[in-house]
């Protein structure tokens, strides 16, 4: 499990650098640009937590309740849309923040709102297909949860989150905190507009085809996932026996097709 956990972390980093992450990148950047210094960390924490939980449990949860598969995605899009409107219209932010203030006095621009936005982004995050994420999806689909599956999924999510956190912190430094605070009345509506626009794009499903239009430039880094030791570890995660003999046996010439004319 140790090998697969480490490779999953690296695979998450590679995913965060691939075209798959482009649809959610504006959400992370816009959400992290304002608020306190804790906000980017709260967004990434929410992303990692929700990605780990929903990647493993969403299939079982929706099947048990008889709900459509795209329900969680639609709820997440709605949450992003509301957060964006809250940045554009402060009155909406006040209404949305009331339950949080009653529970823990979280303001919509602080850690509470950041975690909520990050949790929504985690649901919307659709990683590029690879052996590890495919194995995790198989485990989730068969509902054969294990401690190993949780650790590996969490490690993958941490890899994605680490890169996005670095991007968010770099963006905040690029904006300049002093300038952001000084121009907050102008910047916040602009960032809110970005969130609303991305939510609309996702609601229309336009984000799903974005990564197919951009050349895959991280394929060379994904070879690590196809190493023999990693494939054996994935087989163990799926409950399959490790493949010892990787060469195909020679059974001689294939027989002619017969009895197929009907």
């Amino acid at each position: 499990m140790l090998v697969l956990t480490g490779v999953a972390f690296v695979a998450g980093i590679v995913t965060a650098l691939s075209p798959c992450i482009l649809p959610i990148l504006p959400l992370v950047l816009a959400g992290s640009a304002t608020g306190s210094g804790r906000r980017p960390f709260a967004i990434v924490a929410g992303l990692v937590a929700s990605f780990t939980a929903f990647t493993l449990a969403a299939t079982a949860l929706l099947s048990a309740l008889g709900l459509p598969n795209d329900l969680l995605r639609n709820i997440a899009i709605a949450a992003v849309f509301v957060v964006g409107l809250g940045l554009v219209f402060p009155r909406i932010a006040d209404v949305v923040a009331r339950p949080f203030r009653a529970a823990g006095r979280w303001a919509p621009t602080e850690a509470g709102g950041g975690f909520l936005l990050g949790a929504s982004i985690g649901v919307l995050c659709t990683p590029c297909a690879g052996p590890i994420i495919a194995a995790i999806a198989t485990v989730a689909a068969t509902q054969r949860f294990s401690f190993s599956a949780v650790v590996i999924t969490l490690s993958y999510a941490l890899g994605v989150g680490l890169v996005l956190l670095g991007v968010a912190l770099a963006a905040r430094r690029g904006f300049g905190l002093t300038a952001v605070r000084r121009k907050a009345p102008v910047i916040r509506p602009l960032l809110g507009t970005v969130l609303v626009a991305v939510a609309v794009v996702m609601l229309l499903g336009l984000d799903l085809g974005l990564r197919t239009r951009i050349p895959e430039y991280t394929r060379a880094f994904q070879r690590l996932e196809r190493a023999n030791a990693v494939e054996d570890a994935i087989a163990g995660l799926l409950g399959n026996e490790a493949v010892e003999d990787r060469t195909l046996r020679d059974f001689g010439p294939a027989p002619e097709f017969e009895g197929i004319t009907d």
Side-chain angles (χ1 to χ4, degrees), residues 3-97:
V3 172
L4 195 54
T5 301
V7 174
F9 180 77
V10 175
I13 293 176
V14 173
T15 295
L17 298 173
S18 70
C20 305
I21 217 70
L22 292 178
I24 69 170
L25 192 57
L27 301 178
V28 176
L29 293 177
S32 302
T34 60
S36 69
R38 296 181 301 169
R39 187 170 172 83
F41 293 92
I43 290 176
V44 172
L47 187 154
V48 170
S50 68
F51 179 87
T52 302
F54 289 117
T55 296
L56 290 173
T59 301
L61 178 64
L62 294 175
S63 298
L65 298 178
L67 299 174
N69 293 333
D70 58 352
L71 176 64
L72 292 177
R73 173 181 165 88
N74 291 336
I75 292 176
I77 292 174
V80 171
F81 187 81
V82 170
V83 171
L85 286 181
L87 290 175
V88 178
F89 304 105
R91 290 186 179 180
I92 295 179
D94 290 338
V95 173
V96 174

Side-chain angles (χ1 to χ4, degrees), residues 249-260:
R249 296 175 59 186
D250 185 359
F251 291 94
E256 296 293 334
F257 289 111
E258 297 179 356
I260 62 172

